[in-house]
Amino acid sequence: MLFKFGIELELLVDQDLLINSLINNNIEFVQKSDIIKNKENCLVIKPEITLRDPLGLELNFPPNYTISDISKVLNILKLLPVTFNSRCAMHIHVSFDELTEEAISRILSYYIEHQTSIIEEAKLINIFADLNELVSMDNFNKRRICLNTIRAYKKYSTIEHRIYKSTIDIDEIMIFSGP
């Protein structure tokens, strides 16, 4: 089964400053208002109102981005006045060539069974963001749970892992996603 990783990174930074820096470094991107059908080929920048800050943005790194591509953007971010509030998180999207309902159910069952140890491991290395509900058989169809399966797969053909703090450190991103 073929799968790829995509990353959503939430942060606080002046959007115009970010856009100018990306343009000056020849980074292709689209803004939410300009999203095209083939958006998974470049960086997507969109406002993130859940951060409750006028500087709140979400950067979506597409699955075709390599560690080198992500690192280049992160190095640009390190030169900007980027901050994070307690609501900023990073979500890892795992895209599969095709999943059946049975496969999604097995992933969900495995995660529910091992969720506590997964979260404890993330806490031990200080990468956990406690922003979502634990997954259970009673709430698995909600969006804001630690592992978004059914809703994410229907909308994006991905499974979304939502337990990580936001970062612009490439080493931490590699721990989170393992691309």
Side-chain angles (χ1 to χ4, degrees), residues 82-96:
V82 171
T83 58
F84 304 99
N85 67 20
S86 63
R87 302 181 64 80
C88 290
M90 183 170 67
H91 305 150
I92 307 299
H93 283 263
V94 183
S95 101
F96 299 85

Side-chain angles (χ1 to χ4, degrees), residues 52-151:
R52 298 180 183 153
D53 189 295
L55 296 177
L57 294 177
E58 178 180 290
L59 304 183
N60 293 334
F61 294 90
N64 65 318
Y65 257 45
T66 65
I67 288 297
S68 177
D69 296 328
I70 295 168
S71 191
K72 187 173 180 182
V73 174
L74 296 180
N75 286 334
I76 292 167
L77 290 170
K78 287 177 183 176
L79 299 173
L80 301 176
V82 171
T83 58
F84 304 99
N85 67 20
S86 63
R87 302 181 64 80
C88 290
M90 183 170 67
H91 305 150
I92 307 299
H93 283 263
V94 183
S95 101
F96 299 85
D97 49 358
E98 187 174 317
L99 280 180
T100 63
E101 278 189 38
E102 180 184 338
I104 292 172
S105 180
R106 284 194 321 264
I107 291 167
L108 181 61
S109 293
Y110 177 89
Y111 191 84
I112 290 171
E113 183 178 333
H114 296 91
Q115 168 171 231
T116 302
S117 60
I118 292 167
I119 289 171
E120 287 306 314
E121 185 176 328
K123 286 179 180 177
L124 280 174
I125 56 177
N126 196 31
I127 61 173
F128 179 67
D130 191 8
L131 299 170
N132 297 286
E133 290 181 50
L134 296 178
V135 184
S136 72
M137 291 311 286
D138 295 328
N139 72 354
F140 69 89
N141 203 21
K142 287 184 172 182
R143 179 172 175 263
R144 296 194 185 281
I145 55 176
C146 292
L147 188 71
N148 181 350
T149 53
I150 307 295
R151 292 173 65 100

Side-chain angles (χ1 to χ4, degrees), residues 149-160:
T149 53
I150 307 295
R151 292 173 65 100
Y153 196 75
K154 284 180 181 176
K155 189 169 183 179
Y156 304 110
S157 297
T158 68
I159 289 179
E160 179 186 27

